[in-house]
Amino acid sequence: MPSIISISLTNPISTRPRQTVNRLKRCKVGNISGLFILSSLAILSGITDANAENTASTAAIRTKQSVAQEALSNAPSPINIPATSSVTTSQDNAAIARGAYIARAADCAGCHGENYSGGEKFVLPMGIVVSTNITPSLTHGIGHYSLQQFSDAIRKGKAPDHQLYPAMPYPSYSRMSDPDLSDLYAFMQTVEAVDESPKDKTQMKFPFNMRILMKGYNLINIPKWTVSPNLTESQKRGQYLVDNLGHCGDCHTPRTATMGYDFSHYLAGAPIQGVQAPNITTDNDTGIGRWSKQDIVKFLKTGELQHQALAGGEMGKVVLYSLQHLSDADLMAMADYLKTVPAVKSGATTAALNMAKLPQNQDSDITYNLLKQIDRLKAAQQKAKPGTGESLYLNNCASCHGINGHGQTEASYPALTGLSILRENTPKRLIQVIAYGSKAPLDTLPNMPGFANKLSDEQIAQIANYVRTNIGGMSASELTVSDVKKLAEQPNDVPFLIANAGWLAILGMIAGIGLLGLLLWLLLRRRV
């Protein structure tokens, strides 16, 4: 059955505390959208450009930092909030604690970094976008925002002096409740201010650099979120977490012609910068319909599900910064709701898991006994016939993933045995991750290297066939060089209007000017 993984075979996210956490780049490309002048509607992309130079009252901004660390102390946190001697009321403390949890559920650190100072750079077809400073700095962040201005930015994509691009997922956040928004505002005031703007700036191509176009996008595409009365209270909570705070649809729901959500294929998977966010509907063949609620909870909490999925790449970051910190009750609510999502058949189908064909560990300690692994690997390499898929796997992959694909637990190299990415009938994700690799969600974890520049297409095909049959449990795999060439392509999934927006906008302007000239000529002729 299909994996919820984006495309990666990189490391599962552990809930163990970590001493070093680096800033990550998580681009919510699924929420990039827009429209352009006169001739068409199109997608605009960016990260909240909320820097401001305005001065404002500072009396209440720096008063609630003393409880921020306590608010995040129940889970390993990459966000370090220094305590102060400020005295706050119990109501303030509770609001800040709730706001810290909302920040986790909304995955704010995923784009703006562990300390919310921004600076993460994303290269997109529409230009380069850079996440901005959302600390309470008065000169470089959002410290001058009132609660109403904060609400407008979160729900409407409207900063005090400009329109935001919807890569800041305000279409999803538009249903954020008043209490949650107020608590999030209280928490964000306790974040340590960083009085520095990111060095890089957002640079969008014409016509995407005209933010005013987002007003039209908002009018057309901000959803009117509804909740079915047939849902249980748990399912309603789950829908709120999935649709709004967690904004899962930004990656997993495809887009319409105007780049709004295509609710006819709700959560059925969507292309994201050359990769495919998988189908997470209840379809048994292409979605996660065979997963139990407990399976979903385990995956969301840990980033891994044995013989099914690993959360690598962008999904790994979501687990790291957001999902692993949510309560078990909320994770179960999300699972409860996801089991109600109508099945949509979309994407690659997956062969049934055959446990009997999966390789067995030769020794119980082989996954963490490095010396034994080295000895076994040398022996296996000498025994393997040169030029075969087995030999290629042993010489390029086994030092991390083990001779039989069982990985190295202590070194954070994941097991591959039985993963659904190996059992897909069209193994595009597998070929792409072998060819191009995948970055781990933390720099302290090992990356999956790409082999496109090291191995030939024939060799990649041999490795893929080997792992699919000997580690994935498939009965047969006959990928060819032509299959690899086709599947390894990373198509630029840019709509026609986006790819050609510049000259189409110019043509539209010329046509508009010509029309005005014609009207003026007719008016003057009538007077004569």
Side-chain angles (χ1 to χ4, degrees), residues 56-68:
S57 172
T58 63
I61 292 176
R62 309 290 296 165
T63 61
K64 298 186 178 75
Q65 293 184 351
S66 62
V67 299

Side-chain angles (χ1 to χ4, degrees), residues 7 33 36 132 146 188 203 209 279 281 355 389 406 479:
I7 64 163
S33 43
F36 69 81
T132 56
S146 66
M188 292 306 297
Q203 296 179 346
N209 56 349
N279 185 335
T281 72
M355 293 293 295
H406 286 276
L479 297 173

Side-chain angles (χ1 to χ4, degrees), residues 11-50:
N11 314 283
I13 305 303
S14 171
T15 55
R16 296 192 299 267
R18 300 182 178 89
Q19 295 179 346
T20 305
V21 178
N22 298 289
R23 294 182 181 177
L24 303 174
K25 298 178 181 178
R26 179 176 179 258
C27 180
K28 296 183 176 68
V29 181
N31 202 26
I32 297 168
S33 43
L35 63 104
F36 69 81
I37 286 180
L38 297 178
S39 58
S40 61
L41 292 168
I43 176 176
L44 283 169
S45 168
I47 303 294
T48 311
D49 190 8

Side-chain angles (χ1 to χ4, degrees), residues 36 42 49 77 102 140-141 150 178 188 212 221 226 250 256 281 283 354 424 428 431 448 459 471 491 506:
F36 69 81
D49 190 8
S77 171
I102 297 304
H140 297 85
F150 185 77
D178 290 341
M188 292 306 297
I212 193 172
N221 289 318
T226 60
D250 286 11
T256 64
T281 72
D283 183 68
N354 187 345
E424 292 177 340
K428 185 179 183 68
I431 296 299
M448 167 71 188
Q459 290 173 320
I471 296 176
I506 293 174

Side-chain angles (χ1 to χ4, degrees), residues 86 243 432:
S86 302
D243 285 349
Q432 287 190 338

Side-chain angles (χ1 to χ4, degrees), residues 123-428:
V123 179
L124 304 169
M126 290 70 64
I128 298 174
V129 296
V130 181
S131 64
T132 56
N133 184 335
I134 58 171
T135 73
S137 169
L138 290 173
T139 55
H140 297 85
I142 60 173
H144 62 286
Y145 278 30
S146 66
L147 176 58
Q148 184 59 54
Q149 290 172 325
F150 185 77
S151 174
D152 288 343
I154 293 293
R155 290 169 165 170
K156 301 177 181 179
K158 182 182 178 182
D161 58 354
H162 62 271
Q163 182 69 42
L164 305 180
Y165 292 127
M168 202 294 284
Y170 62 83
S172 293
Y173 292 160
S174 62
R175 190 181 162 241
M176 187 180 294
S177 69
D178 290 341
D180 282 354
L181 194 142
S182 179
D183 292 340
L184 179 60
Y185 179 71
F187 167 70
M188 292 306 297
Q189 292 182 74
T190 69
V191 174
E192 182 177 5
V194 177
D195 294 322
E196 183 179 6
S197 295
K199 294 180 180 179
D200 296 314
K201 304 297 181 184
T202 294
Q203 296 179 346
M204 301 297 286
K205 300 175 183 177
F206 175 80
F208 306 113
N209 56 349
M210 295 187 291
R211 292 175 179 266
I212 193 172
L213 298 178
M214 295 317 305
K215 293 183 179 295
Y217 169 84
N218 294 344
L219 181 65
I220 296 171
N221 289 318
I222 291 185
K224 293 180 172 61
W225 298 103
T226 60
V227 179
S228 171
N230 297 324
L231 297 180
T232 66
E233 290 304 312
S234 173
Q235 291 164 350
K236 290 177 182 177
R237 172 66 177 172
Q239 181 182 9
Y240 179 61
L241 290 165
V242 168
D243 285 349
N244 306 118
L245 293 186
H247 51 280
C248 302
D250 286 11
C251 288
H252 292 279
T253 298
R255 300 284 162 165
T256 64
T258 60
M259 301 312 298
Y261 302 118
D262 180 3
F263 285 107
S264 67
H265 289 78
Y266 172 64
L267 298 182
I272 307 293
Q273 280 194 315
V275 301
Q276 184 75 16
N279 185 335
I280 57 173
T281 72
T282 53
D283 183 68
N284 287 335
D285 297 322
T286 61
I288 58 172
R290 292 191 177 97
W291 290 23
S292 67
K293 293 179 184 179
Q294 289 72 24
D295 289 339
I296 296 174
V297 169
K298 182 178 181 181
F299 179 81
L300 296 178
K301 187 74 172 180
T302 67
E304 60 180 318
L305 186 61
Q306 187 178 29
H307 305 318
Q308 298 296 343
L310 293 170
E314 298 305 320
M315 188 65 194
K317 297 173 188 177
V318 177
V319 175
L320 173 70
Y321 278 120
S322 177
L323 295 174
Q324 71 167 327
H325 301 287
L326 301 190
S327 68
D328 291 342
D330 273 351
L331 293 176
M332 179 54 72
M334 294 176 72
D336 201 13
Y337 172 69
L338 286 172
K339 296 299 286 185
T340 72
V341 174
V344 178
K345 193 172 294 294
S346 175
T349 59
T350 305
L353 176 64
N354 187 345
M355 293 293 295
K357 289 183 67 64
L358 297 184
Q360 302 299 314
N361 263 338
Q362 296 176 341
D363 300 280
S364 60
D365 65 344
I366 194 67
T367 61
Y368 57 86
N369 188 326
L370 182 59
L371 294 178
K372 181 178 287 187
Q373 282 193 25
I374 293 174
D375 292 339
R376 291 287 174 83
L377 178 57
K378 287 181 178 179
Q381 288 172 335
Q382 293 174 355
K383 183 180 178 181
K385 183 179 179 180
T388 62
E390 178 185 17
S391 177
L392 289 166
Y393 172 82
L394 291 173
N395 285 282
N396 293 281
C397 314
S399 60
C400 294
H401 295 294
I403 297 173
N404 295 319
H406 286 276
Q408 299 180 47
T409 305
E410 294 302 313
S412 297
Y413 293 109
L416 306 180
T417 52
L419 291 180
S420 59
I421 194 174
L422 305 181
R423 295 181 281 111
E424 292 177 340
N425 66 333
T426 305
K428 185 179 183 68

